[in-house]
């Protein structure tokens, strides 16, 4: 139980310090970049210091912001799920459904991030770059698959528990 308290405390700390400030900041940058192109100078990623702010750079920033919101939402669902563990209800339907949602969101986030990275290198840097090594997007896909497996495991455990209660 101490490990659960430590995990919940760390998750709450990350939520308060990182996620809550990141939401309005991302929303502000996503809207403000349409009014002032100077905001995009932070993304000095184009050819040898030449700062260009084409419309597709704005599209990539919006896609990255959307990807960030999906990741924050999956972290929020994980945070809510930990409350059920503290209440000693790990086999609740809410937990199983949330694990499935988190898994699907993380898989979509990992695949989308990989496609955004590929498109970014292809359209903005004009080079074809495929990365088959370890990366954050592969890690997100693996984490998403882990949560899907965890959801199925909890579903089987719940069915076994219900059958056991009916037998007695």
């Amino acid at each position: 139980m101490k490990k659960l308290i430590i995990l919940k405390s760390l998750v709450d700390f990350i939520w308060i310090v990182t996620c809550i400030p990141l939401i309005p900041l991302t929303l502000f940058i996503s809207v403000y970049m349409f009014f002032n192109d100077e905001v995009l100078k932070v993304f000095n990623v184009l050819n040898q210091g030449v700062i260009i702010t084409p419309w597709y750079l704005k599209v990539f920033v919006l896609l990255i912001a959307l990807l960030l919101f999906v990741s924050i939402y999956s972290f929020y669902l994980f945070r809510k799920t930990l409350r059920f563990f503290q209440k000693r209800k790990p086999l609740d339907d809410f937990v199983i459904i949330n694990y499935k949602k988190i898994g699907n969101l993380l898989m979509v986030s990992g695949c989308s991030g990989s496609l955004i990275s590929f498109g970014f290198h292809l359209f903005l840097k004009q080079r074809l770059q495929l990365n088959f090594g370890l990366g954050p997007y592969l890690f997100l896909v693996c984490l998403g698959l882990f949560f899907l497996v965890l959801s199925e495991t909890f579903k089987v455990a719940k069915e076994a528990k219900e059958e056991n209660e009916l037998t007695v």
Side-chain angles (χ1 to χ4, degrees), residues 79-148:
R79 187 172 173 260
K80 283 179 67 173
T81 303
L82 287 177
R83 290 184 196 149
F84 277 82
F85 280 90
Q86 285 181 324
K87 295 178 187 175
R88 297 186 187 267
K89 297 179 182 179
L91 298 179
D92 193 78
D93 284 333
F94 183 78
V95 173
I96 296 169
I97 290 169
N98 271 355
Y99 276 160
K100 189 170 184 175
K101 279 184 194 175
I102 292 169
N104 288 331
L105 287 172
L106 288 176
M107 282 184 41
V108 165
S109 179
C111 292
S112 300
S114 178
L115 290 174
I116 289 171
S117 175
F118 175 75
F120 177 79
H121 287 287
L122 186 64
F123 292 119
L124 292 178
K125 292 193 174 184
Q126 276 108 30
R127 66 181 157 154
L128 182 62
Q129 179 178 349
L130 296 174
N131 187 5
F132 292 112
L134 290 176
Y137 308 117
L138 182 63
F139 179 73
L140 281 176
V141 170
C142 291
L143 196 59
L145 288 172
F146 173 74
F147 273 103
L148 288 176

Side-chain angles (χ1 to χ4, degrees), residues 20-39:
I20 290 177
L22 205 57
I23 293 171
L25 183 67
T26 306
L27 281 172
F28 175 74
I29 289 174
S30 299
V31 173
Y32 190 65
M33 74 178 175
F34 288 105
F35 297 112
N36 187 2
D37 286 341
E38 298 293 319
V39 135

Side-chain angles (χ1 to χ4, degrees), residues 154-166:
F154 274 55
K155 187 187 295 185
V156 169
K158 181 180 178 179
E159 290 171 2
K161 179 185 173 201
E162 289 173 355
E163 286 179 14
N164 190 20
E165 289 175 354
L166 291 176

Side-chain angles (χ1 to χ4, degrees), residues 14-60:
I14 291 170
W15 177 257
I16 292 168
V17 171
T18 305
C19 295
I20 290 177
L22 205 57
I23 293 171
L25 183 67
T26 306
L27 281 172
F28 175 74
I29 289 174
S30 299
V31 173
Y32 190 65
M33 74 178 175
F34 288 105
F35 297 112
N36 187 2
D37 286 341
E38 298 293 319
V39 135
L40 293 176
K41 285 188 178 182
V42 173
F43 301 104
N44 187 9
V45 293
L46 300 175
N47 303 328
Q48 285 100 24
V50 176
I51 300 171
I52 305 169
T53 55
W55 64 271
Y56 43 85
L57 182 59
K58 292 178 183 179
V59 170
F60 279 115

